[in-house]
Amino acid sequence: MSYATRDGRDWKPDYLVSIDAQKCIGCGRCYKVCGREVMTLKGINEDGELVELDDDDEVEKKVMVMNDDGACIGCGACVRVCPTNCQTHVCANAAGAHMSASPFLGPS
């Protein structure tokens, strides 16, 4: 596959395919720079389950999780602001193989 910018320069998008919950600190920086709602903030309760933050459950930790991976355009803004390097990105040619993988790599 070949991609180009508006003025014709070669461009290789790197798509976000997963977020490692063990590394993610839930700071929300990636969410703030992404205008496409590719990820969202959730909580992990004491049982290690993902919960909505508006639930009454107490959360042990907040983490970013994949929300709409198909909306990712591969711009890389999220990876540039992530302080923990918790995201996995793949180039456009390899993205199809990873899209079927689990979008949440939770605690073991």
Side-chain angles (χ1 to χ4, degrees):
M1 288 182 154
S2 178
Y3 298 92
T5 62
R6 281 189 342 192
D7 66 0
R9 287 179 278 172
D10 285 336
W11 176 59
K12 294 182 178 143
D14 287 320
Y15 299 116
L16 177 63
V17 293
S18 67
I19 301 170
D20 186 336
Q22 292 178 331
K23 291 182 181 179
C24 179
I25 59 173
C27 67
R29 292 176 186 163
C30 55
Y31 179 79
K32 291 175 186 171
V33 299
C34 179
R36 305 192 53 85
E37 298 184 7
V38 173
M39 64 218 65
T40 191
L41 191 63
K42 297 257 181 150
I44 297 179
N45 66 17
E46 61 186 24
D47 296 326
E49 301 167 330
L50 276 179
V51 295
E52 298 292 331
L53 290 177
D54 57 338
D55 286 350
D56 290 335
D57 295 335
E58 289 187 30
V59 296
E60 299 290 314
K61 179 181 177 182
K62 293 180 182 178
V63 295
M64 297 306 300
V65 296
M66 298 299 292
N67 181 54
D68 185 3
D69 54 355
C72 181
I73 60 171
C75 68
C78 57
V79 73
R80 287 191 296 276
V81 298
C82 181
T84 63
N85 194 28
C86 66
Q87 302 169 356
T88 300
H89 290 77
V90 296
C91 65
N93 294 339
H98 286 47
M99 290 302 169
S100 61
S102 172
F104 173 69
L105 299 176
S108 301

